[in-house]
Amino acid sequence: MSISKESKPILLTIMLLAAAFVVFFANRLLPQNSIFPSRSGDLTILLWLFFAIDIGFIVALILGVRTKRPSVVWFSIIANSIFFVLLSVLIFLLAIANGISEP
């Protein structure tokens, strides 16, 4: 099964959005097996995971702009830039929360 070049940026955007939701809700879904320590207040793992997803949105944006179909280009520019900005704001707020909670 081959994925066409035009659909790769769209699929990457959807997978990154799903990954961001899974990382965000992982502590509530599996509190006993969570990799995010909720009681100690350390958010560095969460920050690095969101940072990697944020870089993925930039990669999906670049892949989308390089395609030939205008609908994919516009979807890639609009969706990935919105998700990039929102996730960057969330990373900034988490970094502030992590800095406040450090002794």
Side-chain angles (χ1 to χ4, degrees):
M1 186 168 124
S2 173
I3 299 173
S4 68
K5 187 177 179 181
E6 286 85 19
S7 63
K8 283 183 184 178
I10 295 171
L11 290 174
L12 182 60
T13 301
I14 293 169
M15 287 189 309
L16 287 169
L17 186 61
F21 278 117
V22 166
V23 168
F24 187 74
F25 291 114
N27 199 17
R28 292 191 178 131
L29 293 175
L30 302 168
Q32 68 275 10
N33 296 332
S34 180
I35 59 170
F36 312 118
S38 59
R39 292 188 181 149
S40 66
D42 188 24
L43 298 172
T44 54
I45 296 172
L46 192 64
L47 283 168
W48 283 108
L49 287 174
F50 277 137
F51 182 70
I53 293 171
D54 215 14
I55 298 299
F57 281 127
I58 294 172
V59 170
L61 177 70
I62 292 170
L63 287 175
V65 170
R66 294 179 61 184
T67 60
K68 302 287 186 214
R69 292 180 52 198
S71 60
V72 175
V73 172
W74 283 108
F75 173 80
S76 178
I77 290 172
I78 293 170
N80 288 317
S81 60
I82 288 172
F83 294 144
F84 175 74
V85 168
L86 290 177
L87 194 58
S88 295
V89 168
L90 180 66
I91 290 171
F92 177 71
L93 292 174
L94 283 172
I96 289 174
N98 193 30
I100 289 173
S101 68
E102 292 288 324

